[in-house]
């Protein structure tokens, strides 16, 4: 079952512009994570935001979380060609006894043109 | 360097054949996971294991089997019962607890001959 839905499915921008990707989910969560996947490679963890946090920064990344709307956004500022990748959100569902697994969305494919 | 290694990178399966994908980690992680990724799709969980000698089915376990005899290793067998096995298979590991960030291998691409 896929809980997260990223929007847009694909995004093409010029180098130096900002890129914003959104993730919506269905059930209450403990935390939400963002991952990056370069073509043909495994995923790399970028950032984790807990359900009691509203915003988090890591370098050029800014993540927001709105639990009332069940949504999150990932902002990449001053994008570079090397940021070209697919970006996935993953949720840790709030379940009795604790969840043992993440639920991944379908991803946003970002292309940054030089 | 600590990491997670998947092999082989490419694998071809004949009709009626079982094939095994290898996943080894030296991160001292308790939990390990297998995902399937189809083109343009997200990750779907096949099996996961939180501790040695124990594992649970994920969302799409039919046609697959796993074992967890060692902490470092979590091989996945794609059986002949899996009628559409062509996909990119990703293995991941983490500290125990579903909320922990997962570390991924670089995947095995399985195709049908």
């Amino acid at each position: 079952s896929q809980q997260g839905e990223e929007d847009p499915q694909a995004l093409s921008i010029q180098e130096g512009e900002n890129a914003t990707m959104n993730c919506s989910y269905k059930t209450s969560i403990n935390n939400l994570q963002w991952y990056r996947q370069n073509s043909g490679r495994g995923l790399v963890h970028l950032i984790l935001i807990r359900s009691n946090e509203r915003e988090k920064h890591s370098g050029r990344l800014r993540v927001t979380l709105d639990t009332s709307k069940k949504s999150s956004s990932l902002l990449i500022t001053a994008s570079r060609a090397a940021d070209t990748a697919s970006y996935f959100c993953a949720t840790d569902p709030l379940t009795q006894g604790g969840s043992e697994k993440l639920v991944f969305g379908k991803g946003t494919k970002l292309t940054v043109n030089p | 360097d600590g990491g997670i290694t998947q092999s082989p990178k490419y694998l071809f399966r004949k009709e009626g054949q079982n094939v095994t994908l290898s996943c080894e980690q030296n991160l001292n992680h308790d939990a390990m996971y297998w995902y399937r990724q189809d083109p343009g799709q997200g990750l779907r969980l096949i099996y996961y294991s939180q501790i040695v000698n124990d594992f649970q089915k994920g969302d799409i376990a039919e046609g697959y089997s796993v074992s967890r005899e060692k902490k470092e290793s979590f091989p996945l067998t794609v059986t002949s019962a899996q009628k559409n096995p062509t996909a990119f298979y990703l293995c991941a590991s983490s500290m125990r607890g579903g909320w922990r960030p997962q570390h991924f291998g670089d995947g095995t691409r399985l195709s049908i001959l």
Side-chain angles (χ1 to χ4, degrees):
Chain A
S1 58
Q2 288 181 308
Q3 151 139 273
E5 288 285 341
E6 286 90 343
D7 169 57
Q9 291 186 348
L11 179 61
S12 181
I13 61 174
Q14 295 301 122
E15 214 164 19
E17 293 180 342
N18 294 344
T20 299
M21 288 157 272
N22 303 297
C23 170
S24 59
Y25 56 91
K26 298 173 185 171
T27 64
S28 296
I29 60 172
N30 291 309
N31 70 67
L32 185 145
Q33 303 178 29
W34 284 92
Y35 288 78
R36 164 195 169 124
Q37 183 182 33
N38 286 1
S39 181
R41 303 293 298 273
L43 278 70
V44 174
H45 179 259
L46 295 175
I47 197 164
L48 180 153
I49 185 163
R50 301 183 194 282
S51 60
N52 61 354
E53 297 176 310
R54 292 296 167 256
E55 188 170 313
K56 204 160 183 180
H57 296 254
S58 176
R60 293 185 295 111
L61 304 181
R62 173 178 167 249
V63 169
T64 61
L65 179 64
D66 187 335
T67 53
S68 66
K69 294 181 180 177
K70 291 186 170 59
S71 68
S72 173
S73 68
L74 170 67
L75 168 67
I76 303 174
T77 60
S79 63
R80 306 165 182 168
D83 294 327
T84 295
S86 292
Y87 293 82
F88 295 87
C89 68
T91 53
D92 171 31
L94 184 64
T95 58
Q96 193 172 17
S99 172
E100 293 186 323
K101 55 187 179 178
L102 295 175
V103 181
F104 286 83
K106 294 184 179 181
T108 291
K109 186 170 184 177
L110 173 66
T111 302
V112 181
N113 301 299
Chain B
D1 284 341
I4 182 163
T5 302
Q6 290 187 242
S7 64
K9 194 168 178 64
Y10 300 96
L11 187 58
F12 298 91
R13 195 191 88 169
K14 295 179 182 177
E15 290 288 339
Q17 186 182 43
N18 293 352
V19 291
T20 298
L21 284 60
S22 171
C23 178
E24 303 274 337
Q25 55 97 1
N26 60 3
L27 298 166
N28 199 31
H29 285 165
D30 288 308
M32 297 187 74
Y33 310 82
W34 273 106
Y35 296 93
R36 170 179 173 142
Q37 186 176 32
D38 292 286
Q41 299 296 310
L43 277 64
R44 291 186 290 169
L45 184 64
I46 305 173
Y47 270 98
Y48 63 103
S49 168
Q50 293 287 319
I51 198 167
V52 175
N53 292 323
D54 188 43
F55 49 83
Q56 285 75 41
K57 293 181 180 180
D59 300 316
I60 56 165
E62 187 173 348
Y64 300 96
S65 67
V66 293
S67 62
R68 187 82 188 281
E69 296 176 1
K70 298 189 298 180
K71 187 176 184 178
E72 304 78 19
S73 179
F74 192 41
L76 173 74
T77 296
V78 184
T79 75
S80 57
Q82 173 49 247
K83 296 307 178 188
N84 184 23
T86 298
F88 189 50
Y89 290 87
L90 287 161
C91 180
S93 69
S94 72
M95 298 295 286
R96 190 169 182 181
W99 63 273
R100 304 276 191 177
Q102 295 183 8
H103 298 252
F104 284 79
D106 271 341
T108 292
R109 192 167 299 278
L110 176 62
S111 302
I112 295 294
L113 277 179

